[in-house]
Amino acid sequence: MRILSLATLFPNPVKPSFGVFVGNQMRAIVAGGEVDLTMVSPIGVPPWPLSRRHPYDKLRHIPESSDFAGLQVYYPKFTLIPKIGGDSNPARIARAVLPLVRRLHAEQPFDLIDAQFFFPDGPAAALIARELGLPLTIKSRGADIHYWGQRPAALKQMQQAAHQAAGMLAVSSALRDDMVALGMPQERIGVHYTGLDHERFHPIERGAARALVSAMPNLGIWSEGPLIVTPGSLIPRKGQRLVIEALAHLPDARLALAGAGEDEKPLRALADWLGVGDRVQFLGLVGHDLLPHVLCAADVLVLPSASEGLANVWVEGLACGTPIVIPDIGGAREVVQDESAGRIAARTPEAIADAVRDILADPPSQADVSANVSRFSWGVNAQNLVRFWCDILSGEKIDAAA
């Protein structure tokens, strides 16, 4: 099979951890040897003079193609209109990508066009697939459905792409239901769970991991007291505010926030106002090489997001033997099936604090926690995605549980 896959979230030389989970998936696809994969990751750069400002100044110098991510990737640039142009991104992406794709298709035809996110990738890939007369597949991952699905202009494009698509995937059964509720054809949607790098994410004895991350100068995490870790971008949707407020009900616990983003300043102010500033640590971006150690060192991982499909970090935390506290969103109940995996808690500080307190009072073993995600791997993930593409090209019915 010769597949062209489009992903606006993908590792690049400027942002090596950007969409690292998609990079993991696609490297596993290539390693399997069954697919001739062409990866295209469009880079949004605003018009001059905005393009000269941080953080866009470096993005505009990303090469047109690179093997930085462990496979050959094309990085065409499209015109991005910051803050106000999101709904119209698909058309600009398609215009930027089509000259490259037409040339590659003429040299060696593609069999299928694939999009790794539902927006803006899905409608952009739909335009390209129509231009080339090829079948289309689209994957949804959570925010692409939950956020963009609330914007009428984006939703209309997503619905049109969904009805054009020969097949679609969701990262959880719950997200599949959300897609159907938005008017997407249920019979064309399969479930495709995330993968997991078991060599990177596995239990390290908690005390040893805690000693390690407390000794690292670039982390310096406290060595004593119950440790809560909340990984993820510091943005309102991830709910770090709720964890800080919960900390006020957990006087012995400490909180490490692993991530960066626009919410850092107000979160610091909130922690100080609540009198817990001395128990909240802002780690900034934590690379994929250090993240497993941070997760293993934690007594509990708390992530009270407003929406998720099936978050990779849920699976990664469990793989490290760390129980999780998450809301009843997306595929939460497909991951937290019993108390050995953690707790599902309402998005209130009191409920989060109660769940954390419950886990700390009777913690499961790291081995029991890790066993919850033994079924996840990038190898299985890749095999299922290849099987899905094969089924599409052969006209087979889509397996509801890919």
Side-chain angles (χ1 to χ4, degrees), residues 19-367:
V20 66
F21 51 95
V22 189
N24 289 337
Q25 174 184 269
M26 292 317 199
R27 280 191 294 272
I29 292 286
V30 171
E34 298 179 65
V35 174
D36 181 359
L37 177 70
T38 297
M39 196 73 223
V40 177
S41 180
I43 303 291
V45 178
W48 189 91
L50 291 178
S51 62
R52 301 186 67 86
R53 296 181 182 177
H54 179 77
Y56 302 111
D57 54 341
K58 293 183 179 179
L59 290 177
R60 61 194 179 97
H61 294 299
I62 291 176
E64 288 300 311
S65 68
S66 170
D67 60 0
F68 166 84
L71 69 162
Q72 190 68 29
V73 183
Y74 292 94
Y75 295 106
K77 312 298 188 302
F78 71 94
T79 302
L80 178 74
I81 311 298
K83 297 186 182 297
I84 62 172
D87 294 334
S88 56
N89 275 340
R92 287 194 295 274
I93 290 171
R95 283 197 297 271
V97 170
L98 266 169
L100 166 69
V101 171
R102 286 195 190 99
R103 175 174 62 80
L104 296 175
H105 186 58
E107 293 172 358
Q108 190 175 356
F110 297 109
D111 297 307
L112 182 147
I113 305 296
D114 167 71
Q116 281 295 308
F117 295 87
F118 223 104
F119 197 89
D121 309 24
L127 292 169
I128 295 167
R130 284 201 298 272
E131 179 74 17
L132 300 184
L134 293 175
L136 168 70
T137 59
I138 309 173
K139 185 167 184 177
S140 64
R141 296 178 181 270
D144 49 355
I145 292 294
H146 297 139
Y147 176 78
W148 292 104
Q150 298 178 37
R151 297 172 64 95
L155 176 59
K156 182 178 179 180
Q157 297 173 73
M158 292 161 66
Q159 290 170 330
Q160 292 172 342
H163 284 86
Q164 177 183 333
M168 291 165 282
L169 292 173
V171 295
S172 68
S173 295
L175 185 59
R176 181 176 184 262
D177 294 341
D178 292 341
M179 294 167 67
V180 174
L182 289 178
M184 300 181 184
Q186 181 174 349
E187 69 280 2
R188 296 187 214 167
I189 308 172
V191 176
H192 183 229
Y193 287 119
T194 186
L196 174 65
D197 184 347
H198 286 275
E199 293 186 6
R200 186 181 296 271
F201 295 96
H202 59 84
I204 301 170
E205 195 276 322
R206 184 162 291 124
R210 186 73 176 272
L212 178 64
V213 298
S214 65
M216 290 181 175
N218 55 332
L219 292 176
I221 293 174
W222 303 282
S223 59
E224 297 180 354
L227 177 64
I228 301 167
V229 167
T230 296
S233 299
L234 303 185
I235 55 177
R237 182 174 68 85
K238 293 295 184 179
Q240 288 94 349
R241 171 176 290 268
L242 295 169
V243 193
I244 293 173
E245 291 173 345
L247 194 66
H249 301 281
L250 299 163
D252 297 326
R254 298 178 183 274
L255 170 63
L257 299 174
E262 63 194 44
D263 241 17
E264 180 171 344
K265 187 175 180 179
L267 289 172
R268 286 183 181 273
L270 174 65
D272 291 339
W273 183 73
L274 291 172
V276 298
D278 60 340
R279 294 191 287 126
V280 180
Q281 187 172 8
F282 290 79
L283 302 179
L285 289 173
V286 177
H288 237 51
D289 53 339
L290 294 181
L291 182 61
H293 299 290
V294 174
L295 297 181
C296 286
D299 295 282
V300 187
L301 184 157
V302 181
L303 186 61
S305 304
S307 66
E308 298 282 358
L310 192 152
N312 288 65
V313 77
W314 297 350
V315 176
E316 292 167 350
L318 292 171
C320 290
T322 303
I324 63 178
V325 173
I326 57 176
D328 194 2
I329 56 172
R333 293 188 181 275
E334 295 164 59
V335 174
V336 181
Q337 297 180 347
D338 61 50
E339 292 191 348
S340 68
R343 304 290 188 275
I344 292 177
R347 296 186 75 243
T348 68
E350 296 78 13
I352 292 168
D354 286 344
V356 171
R357 197 180 294 114
D358 198 31
I359 292 172
L360 294 176
D362 185 20
S365 72
Q366 287 182 275

